[in-house]
C-alpha cells in the first residue's frame, strides 16, 4: 500500500470516527457537565404583626398570615409573597398544599412566563394569593436576570406614581385621632366605614385634619338610598370617592348608585380577576386591583390596560403585606390613578425593604426585579 493510500484510509477513518464520535461526545459532555437546570420553588410561612388592631366592617385582627416564596435559577433568587387575611378563604395551610403540587423544576427557561404562569393557573382553581406568590417571585427573578426593574421593562415613567393613601381603621375617637397623627406624612387618608358610627368617624378625622379623604365601606352599607345620602354628605366633608359601598353581588344597586352619586364609586370586593373588569364598566367608575386577588403582576398589568380601555379608573391596592408584595404592586403604580399601598407600613416585622413613600408619594428605586432586599 502506497503512502498516499495509507494516508487516505487514515484520514477517512479519522474523519468517519470523528463525525460519528464528535456529536456523541459533545452531547454526552453537555449532559454530563451542564445539566439543564429547572426553576426551584421554596416557601415558608410567616406571621405579620400588625401595629394596631385592624378593624373592618365585619372583622378585626392583630396578625396576618403570609407565605414567603423564593424561586431560584442559576444562583439568582426571586422573592414572592402570598398575603392571606382570613376572611378571603386562603391560609398558610391551603397555600402550602397548593405550592407543594407545583413542579416548576420542569421549566428550564424562566422567561417563558406565559407558559409557567398558565401551568400555575391551571394547577387548581382559586388559590389566588398562592398563585401571586409564584408570579411575584418569577417577576423578581426575571427582572434580576435582565438587571432591570419591572416598571422600566413595562416602559412606565417612575415620576408618574400616585400618592398613596394611608388607612385609618374603624375605632374609638381617641385612637382615630392618634392614627391621623401617625399618618402625618401622607397626603390622602383612606377611612374604613361601614361600622355603626360612620359620621362620627369622619367628624373625628375632620376635627384634626383637612387632608383629602377617601372612604372604603367594605360592603357595609345595605341599601342604595342610604348610600346615596351618605355620598352627598361625604362630598361636603372633602371625600373624593367611595369604595365598595354595598355587598358585591348588588350589581344593579351599584350601577344605580354610580349613576346618581356625586362621588366616584370604586369596586373592590366585586372585582377579582381580568374576567371581572368588563362587567365593572357601567357599574363602577373605577376598580381596585390587588395582586392577591388577581394572581399577581402579570394579570394586574392586563387588568389596568383593559380597565383604561373601558374608561374605568384604576386604584392599585393591597392587603397587609411585607415590602415584597407592596414593591411588586408599586411597579404598576405609575399607570394607576390612585394607590393604596400602605400594607407594609401597618406591620412591625417586615423582613424586606423596598419601595418607599416620600412626602406621601410612592418612590420607585432603580433596583432590578421588584426592587427589594432582605433586612
Ligand atoms: Mg377595599
Amino acid at each position: 500500500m502506497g503512502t498516499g493510500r495509507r494516508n487516505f484510509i487514515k484520514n477517512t477513518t479519522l474523519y468517519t470516527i470523528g463525525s460519528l464520535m464528535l456529536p456523541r461526545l459533545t452531547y454526552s459532555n453537555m449532559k454530563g457537565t451542564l445539566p439543564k437546570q429547572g426553576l426551584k420553588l421554596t416557601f415558608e410561612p410567616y406571621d405579620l404583626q400588625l401595629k394596631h388592631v385592624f378593624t373592618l366592617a365585619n372583622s378585626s385582627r392583630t396578625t396576618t398570615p403570609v407565605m414567603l416564596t423564593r424561586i431560584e435559577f442559576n444562583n439568582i433568587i426571586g422573592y414572592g409573597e402570598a398575603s392571606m387575611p382570613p376572611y378571603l378563604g386562603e391560609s398558610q395551610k391551603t397555600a402550602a398544599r397548593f405550592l407543594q403540587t407545583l413542579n416548576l423544576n420542569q421549566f428550564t427557561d424562566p422567561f417563558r412566563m406565559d407558559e409557567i404562569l398558565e401551568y400555575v393557573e391551571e394547577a387548581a382553581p382559586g388559590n389566588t394569593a398562592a398563585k401571586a406568590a409564584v408570579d411575584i417571585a418569577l417577576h423578581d427573578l426575571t427582572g434580576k436576570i435582565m438587571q432591570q426593574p419591572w416598571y422600566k421593562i413595562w416602559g412606565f415613567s417612575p415620576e408618574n406614581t400616585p400618592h398613596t393613601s394611608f388607612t385609618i381603621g374603624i375605632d374609638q375617637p381617641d385612637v382615630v385621632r392618634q392614627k391621623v397623627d401617625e399618618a402625618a406624612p401622607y397626603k390622602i387618608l383612606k377611612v374604613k366605614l361601614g361600622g355603626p358610627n360612620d359620621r362620627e368617624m369622619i367628624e373625628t378625622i375632620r376635627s384634626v385634619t383637612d387632608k383629602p379623604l377617601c372612604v372604603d365601606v367594605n360592603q357595609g352599607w345595605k341599601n342604595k338610598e342610604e348610600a346615596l345620602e351618605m355620598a352627598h354628605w361625604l362630598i361636603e366633608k372633602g371625600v373624593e370617592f367611595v369604595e365598595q359601598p354595598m355587598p358585591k353581588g348588588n350589581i344593579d344597586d351599584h350601577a344605580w348608585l354610580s349613576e346618581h352619586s356625586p362621588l366616584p364609586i370604586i369596586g373592590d370586593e366585586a372585582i377579582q380577576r381580568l374576567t371581572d373588569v368588563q362587567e365593572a364598566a357601567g357599574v363602577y367608575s373605577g376598580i381596585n386591583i390587588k395582586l392577591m386577588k388577581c394572581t399577581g403582576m402579570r394579570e394586574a398589568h392586563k387588568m389596568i390596560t383593559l380597565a383604561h380601555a373601558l374608561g374605568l379608573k384604576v386604584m392599585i391596592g393591597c392587603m397587609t403585606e411585607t415590602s415584597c408584595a407592596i414593591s411588586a404592586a408599586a411597579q404598576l403604580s405609575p399607570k394607576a390613578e390612585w394607590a393604596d399601598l400602605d400594607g407594609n407600613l401597618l406591620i412591625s416585622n417586615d423582613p424586606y425593604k423596598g419601595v418607599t413613600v416620600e412626602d406621601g408619594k410612592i418612590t420607585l428605586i432603580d433596583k432590578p426585579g421588584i426592587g427589594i432586599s432582605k433586612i
Side-chain angles (χ1 to χ4, degrees):
M1 202 184 282
T3 313
R5 179 157 170 79
R6 265 205 308 275
N7 281 347
F8 172 73
I9 290 170
K10 195 173 143 195
N11 289 345
T12 309
T13 310
L14 277 176
Y15 176 77
T16 309
I17 292 170
S19 63
L20 282 174
M21 295 299 289
L22 199 60
R24 231 194 247 162
L25 277 172
T26 309
Y27 179 63
S28 151
N29 280 345
M30 286 288 284
K31 252 186 119 178
T33 59
L34 296 169
K36 274 247 175 188
Q37 254 196 338
L39 303 180
K40 187 180 162 204
L41 171 69
T42 51
F43 52 89
E44 59 170 318
Y46 190 73
D47 288 323
L48 304 182
Q49 306 297 327
L50 307 186
K51 288 179 186 166
H52 291 284
V53 177
F54 195 60
T55 304
L56 304 178
N58 303 310
S59 61
S60 57
R61 63 181 199 276
T62 54
T63 60
T64 300
V66 305
M67 187 67 88
L68 303 177
T69 54
R70 293 155 51 114
I71 298 180
E72 200 172 334
F73 181 76
N74 281 348
N75 299 321
I76 300 176
I77 298 170
Y79 295 100
E81 175 185 7
S83 170
M84 298 164 290
Y87 62 93
L88 293 175
E90 287 181 76
S91 64
Q92 287 166 339
K93 209 168 164 185
T94 64
R97 203 181 303 142
F98 175 78
L99 296 170
Q100 259 158 17
T101 66
L102 300 177
N103 171 22
L104 293 198
N105 199 42
Q106 66 182 298
F107 298 104
T108 54
D109 179 355
F111 288 98
R112 295 185 176 226
M113 299 177 82
D114 265 346
E115 205 176 306
I116 297 166
L117 295 174
E118 273 161 29
Y119 160 78
V120 172
E121 172 62 27
E122 280 158 24
N127 294 286
T128 56
K131 288 172 181 174
V134 178
D135 168 286
I136 294 168
L138 186 61
H139 278 81
D140 193 35
L141 173 71
T142 50
K144 281 172 174 164
I145 297 170
M146 288 186 273
Q147 300 186 318
Q148 296 294 339
W150 269 94
Y151 72 85
K152 279 195 176 179
I153 296 166
W154 280 322
F156 301 160
S157 307
E159 66 275 13
N160 291 346
T161 54
H163 286 93
T164 185
S165 52
F166 188 86
T167 302
I168 311 281
I170 297 170
D171 227 313
Q172 297 306 312
D174 53 333
V175 182
V176 169
R177 277 191 288 270
Q178 183 200 334
K179 287 181 184 173
V180 172
D181 273 355
E182 282 173 35
Y186 304 93
K187 306 280 185 205
I188 177 163
L189 303 179
K190 179 163 169 172
V191 185
K192 294 288 191 181
L193 295 186
N197 307 312
D198 285 352
R199 289 181 195 231
E200 187 187 357
M201 275 285 291
I202 298 293
E203 297 285 16
T204 303
I205 290 166
R206 275 290 166 256
S207 72
V208 284
T209 182
D210 55 3
K211 281 179 186 173
L213 305 178
C214 54
V215 307
D216 187 357
V217 189
N218 290 110
Q219 317 182 73
W221 296 342
K222 300 306 172 201
N223 89 50
K224 62 181 179 184
E225 286 83 9
E226 191 189 314
L228 182 61
E229 196 189 314
M230 274 304 279
H232 280 289
W233 185 78
L234 289 169
I235 197 171
E236 297 303 318
K237 298 289 171 187
V239 168
E240 299 196 340
F241 62 81
V242 178
E243 191 177 321
Q244 203 65 62
M246 293 175 284
K248 62 182 182 181
N250 295 359
I251 295 166
D252 292 343
D253 287 353
H254 279 107
W256 180 89
L257 183 61
S258 289
E259 204 185 320
H260 294 87
S261 168
L263 289 174
I265 307 295
I266 310 300
D268 180 3
E269 285 86 342
I271 317 300
Q272 310 282 325
R273 304 288 306 262
L274 179 62
T275 48
D276 301 320
V277 178
Q278 181 118 37
E279 206 177 298
V283 178
Y284 296 98
S285 310
I287 60 172
N288 187 343
I289 297 174
K290 295 175 182 167
L291 301 188
M292 297 303 144
K293 295 191 295 184
C294 76
T295 73
M297 297 166 72
R298 196 161 185 82
E299 185 152 323
H301 182 262
K302 292 176 186 174
M303 288 173 81
I304 293 178
T305 308
L306 179 57
H308 284 157
L310 293 167
L312 291 162
K313 289 197 160 56
V314 168
M315 178 192 308
I316 182 98
C318 65
M319 311 295 173
T320 38
E321 301 167 346
T322 74
S323 287
C324 176
I326 294 294
S327 300
Q331 303 296 315
L332 292 153
S333 69
K335 293 304 271 189
E337 279 77 20
W338 302 292
D340 178 30
L341 294 178
D342 63 349
N344 56 335
L345 308 168
L346 305 174
I347 62 172
S348 57
N349 60 340
D350 193 342
Y352 301 107
K353 65 175 189 213
V355 67
T356 55
V357 175
E358 277 162 38
D359 217 12
K361 190 173 155 74
I362 293 168
T363 309
L364 291 164
I365 47 172
D366 194 0
K367 202 174 160 117
I370 58 171
I372 59 165
S373 51
K374 281 199 128 182
I375 290 178

